[in-house]
């Protein structure tokens, strides 16, 4: 099949969206208040309780029409993730280094996305998936309940009045859930067609304002991965990271052998296991949301499970820095052969790059979001040419061009735009 991506129907009213949120939240809230449940529902909760929850919800003003559907939704949300499959990669357009297929890390997880291998690994991990699903619900449901309470008490006006506070709360909860959700937040931070400005402003913080992990842990990982003390490899290594992202943090260093300034990207400890687990949770969440949309908002045509599948494959692939290094080199060659000279891709130092550590050329500059309007206008034509060359000529394109991944170098002698391709993929057949 094909990956069907459609823009959500802009005519869908705020009341329709409010109903979807209320369906998730009102029944459990009503049940807690009326004593139907004495503890949050889990996978063992009998389905016979849900009609009682619906009855409780019907007693709330204005919610009678949604109560029956709410009971169904609660049953879905409270279900297990044990029978959920990992996201499917059969139709993915993400560029993957096939030579690394079949390799696994020290825990047994594949380096390259492999649905069967990931499922086999988690089948032997007991209740780990269900535990993470419960953790996901514990963080997300209180926020949704708060949104529903505002909608019930004051409608969309109350929601709009609290937009900034809600956006900050959502961003903090995303950070609490960890790297996978931060990455999703970064993706949504450049979608003004979907989210209001208050939400975009908060999610933009996730592009560079992610909390890092201890610098000494990063240094230990560099030494372990490269097999030598840092002082033997670098004459200078920054005490604190220059930037922290969802998957890694970046340090500025100087190569002892040449004196060149480099960026040392170090992966967050334990991220491979956490991300592979979260992909199951998100697959489950996508299936629940897809069911809600198909039942209550059939005018929307977006395939949310399909979108999650493609995003999941790309995200998992980003965990292998050797794959990222290969993609950077492919991008650099493609742009050079196409005669694109105003865009630079940082040079990769292959001898100092492993699955968890990536060493590349350091380029000083400013994010495009920090540039003046005149500077951005000057770069528009360059960006248009660069992306059209990727999509229509080289067949290999950057698929995560948020402002944190695009820079205007201070030194314009080499290039006018820096283009670190953290996520790249081949062009689909046209």
């Amino acid at each position: 099949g094909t990956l069907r991506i459609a823009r959500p129907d802009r005519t869908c009213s705020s009341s329709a969206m409010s109903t979807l949120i209320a369906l998730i939240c009102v029944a459990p809230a009503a049940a807690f208040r009326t004593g139907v449940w004495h503890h949050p529902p889990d996978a063992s909760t009998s389905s016979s309780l849900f009609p009682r929850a619906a009855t409780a919800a019907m007693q709330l003003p204005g919610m009678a029409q949604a109560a029956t559907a709410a009971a169904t939704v609660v049953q879905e949300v409270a279900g297990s993730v044990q029978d959920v499959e990992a996201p499917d990669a059969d139709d993915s357009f993400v560029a993957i280094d096939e030579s690394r297929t079949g390799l696994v890390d020290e825990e047994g997880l594949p380096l390259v996305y492999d649905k069967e291998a990931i499922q086999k690994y988690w089948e032997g991990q007991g209740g780990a998936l269900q535990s993470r699903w419960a953790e996901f619900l514990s963080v997300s449901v209180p926020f949704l309940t708060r949104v529903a309470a505002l909608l019930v008490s004051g409608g969309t006006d109350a929601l709009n009045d609290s937009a900034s506070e809600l956006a900050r709360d959502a961003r903090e909860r995303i950070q609490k859930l960890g790297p996978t959700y931060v990455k999703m937040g970064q993706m949504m931070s450049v979608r003004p067609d979907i989210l209001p400005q208050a939400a975009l402003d908060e999610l933009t913080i996730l592009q560079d304002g992610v909390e890092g992990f201890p610098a000494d842990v990063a240094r230990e990982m560099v030494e372990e991965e490269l097999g030598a003390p840092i002082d033997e490899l670098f004459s200078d290594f920054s005490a604190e990271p220059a930037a922290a992202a969802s998957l890694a943090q970046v340090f500025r260093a100087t190569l002892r052998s040449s004196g060149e300034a480099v960026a040392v990207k170090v992966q967050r400890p334990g991220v491979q296991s956490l991300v592979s687990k979260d992909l199951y949770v998100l697959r489950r969440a996508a299936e629940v949301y897809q069911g809600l949309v198909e039942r209550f908002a059939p005018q929307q045509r977006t395939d949310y499970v399909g979108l999650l599948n493609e995003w999941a494959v790309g995200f998992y692939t980003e965990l292998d820095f050797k794959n990222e290094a290969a993609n950077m080199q492919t991008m650099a060659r493609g742009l050079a052969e196409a005669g694109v000279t105003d865009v630079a891709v940082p040079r990769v130092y292959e001898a100092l790059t492993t699955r968890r550590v990536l060493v590349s050329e350091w380029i000083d500059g400013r994010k495009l979001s920090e540039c003046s309007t005149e500077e951005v206008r000057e770069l528009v034509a360059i960006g248009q040419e660069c992306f059209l060359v990727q999509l229509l000529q080289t067949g290999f394109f950057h698929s995560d061009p948020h402002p944190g991944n695009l820079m205007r170098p201070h030194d314009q002698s080499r290039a006018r735009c820096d283009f670190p391709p953290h996520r790249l993929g081949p062009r689909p057949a046209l």
Side-chain angles (χ1 to χ4, degrees):
T2 58
L3 181 62
R4 179 161 53 91
I5 304 176
R7 184 176 176 178
D9 188 350
R10 293 297 297 275
T11 64
C12 181
S13 67
S14 58
S15 61
M17 185 59 68
S18 302
T19 300
L20 288 176
I21 296 173
L23 291 175
I24 296 176
C25 303
V26 170
F32 292 151
R33 282 195 295 269
T34 57
V36 175
W37 292 328
H38 300 290
H39 52 79
D42 57 29
S44 63
T45 304
S46 170
S47 60
S48 64
L49 290 180
F50 291 102
R52 296 174 63 191
T55 301
M58 290 181 67
Q59 298 172 0
L60 296 175
M63 296 311 299
Q65 294 180 349
T68 302
T72 302
V73 173
V74 171
Q75 188 170 13
E76 282 294 312
V77 172
S80 171
V81 294
Q82 295 294 348
D83 297 327
V84 177
E85 293 186 345
D88 198 346
D90 291 345
D91 298 317
S92 176
F93 297 140
V94 176
I96 297 176
D97 183 357
E98 298 297 338
S99 67
R100 297 175 66 73
T101 300
L103 300 178
V104 298
D105 66 7
E106 61 277 5
E107 293 184 80
L109 285 165
L111 305 189
V112 174
Y113 189 86
D114 184 320
K115 175 182 175 179
E116 287 71 26
I118 292 175
Q119 287 186 177
K120 182 178 179 180
Y121 173 83
W122 285 112
E123 284 171 0
Q125 299 302 310
L129 291 177
Q130 189 66 22
S131 175
R132 183 59 171 164
W133 175 246
E135 184 180 359
F136 169 75
L137 292 180
S138 72
V139 175
S140 60
V141 168
F143 173 78
L144 294 175
T145 303
R146 182 184 178 194
V147 171
L150 286 170
L151 288 169
V152 171
S153 63
T156 55
D157 288 341
L159 201 62
N160 291 332
D161 291 342
S162 302
S164 296
E165 185 180 352
L166 286 172
R168 182 171 59 255
D169 187 17
R171 190 254 305 162
E172 291 172 349
R173 289 176 184 276
I174 286 172
Q175 290 178 300
K176 183 176 181 180
L177 283 169
T180 311
Y181 302 88
V182 169
K183 192 67 178 180
M184 289 194 71
Q186 291 173 341
M187 176 182 67
M188 298 302 295
S189 70
V190 292
R191 296 299 302 272
D193 56 321
I194 295 177
L195 297 176
Q197 190 58 47
L200 296 176
D201 291 342
E202 280 294 329
L203 293 180
T204 298
I205 296 173
L206 300 177
Q207 292 177 6
D208 279 320
V210 182
E211 183 179 352
F213 53 92
D216 58 341
V217 173
R219 293 173 68 94
E220 290 174 5
M221 181 173 290
V222 171
E223 293 182 338
E224 179 181 345
E225 290 290 311
L226 300 184
I230 280 184
D231 292 342
E232 287 186 13
L233 302 170
F234 307 100
S235 57
D236 180 65
F237 195 94
S238 60
E240 297 297 331
S246 53
L247 297 182
Q249 52 193 32
V250 177
F251 294 82
R252 177 167 182 158
T254 304
L255 291 179
R256 184 170 292 281
S257 59
S258 64
E260 294 171 282
V262 293
V264 182
K265 184 177 179 180
V266 187
Q267 190 172 115
R268 288 178 177 270
V271 73
Q272 185 105 8
S273 174
L274 180 60
V275 166
S276 67
K277 188 167 21 179
D278 280 341
L279 296 185
Y280 275 86
V281 171
L282 289 171
R283 171 68 180 249
R284 172 66 176 152
E287 289 176 348
V288 170
Y289 187 71
Q290 187 79 52
L292 293 177
V293 170
E294 290 175 356
R295 181 168 181 176
F296 302 111
Q299 71 274 21
Q300 292 199 30
R301 297 307 224 179
T302 303
D303 181 358
Y304 293 100
V305 174
L307 284 172
L308 187 277
N309 284 344
E310 179 68 0
W311 179 83
V313 175
F315 186 42
Y316 192 92
T317 302
E318 288 186 56
L319 300 175
D320 184 0
F321 291 172
K322 294 282 283 187
N323 189 79
E324 179 176 339
N327 287 345
M328 292 174 71
Q329 293 169 321
T330 299
M331 173 65 77
R333 284 194 304 269
L335 294 181
E337 292 169 0
V340 177
T341 59
D342 286 325
V343 176
V345 178
R347 172 190 171 191
V348 173
Y349 295 83
E350 288 188 80
L352 297 174
T353 294
T354 70
R355 185 172 66 85
R356 292 191 180 98
V357 173
L358 171 61
V359 178
S360 61
E361 174 187 9
W362 180 277
I363 298 179
D364 286 307
R366 286 181 295 157
K367 293 193 304 180
L368 295 192
S369 58
E370 298 172 347
C371 294
S372 67
T373 302
E374 291 74 19
E375 289 174 314
V376 172
R377 188 179 296 116
E378 176 188 344
L379 296 174
V380 167
I382 296 173
Q384 288 177 331
E385 178 191 14
C386 183
F387 274 95
L388 287 174
V389 165
Q390 294 170 58
L391 292 170
L392 304 177
Q393 188 170 339
T394 68
F396 197 83
F397 62 92
H398 192 303
S399 57
D400 191 17
H402 68 70
N405 285 346
L406 299 171
M407 291 176 58
R408 185 179 189 276
H410 295 322
D411 181 3
Q412 298 281 290
S413 62
R414 174 186 170 191
R416 297 163 72 187
C417 186
D418 173 36
F419 200 57
H422 298 300
R423 188 174 177 196
L424 300 153
R427 180 187 66 201
L430 299 176

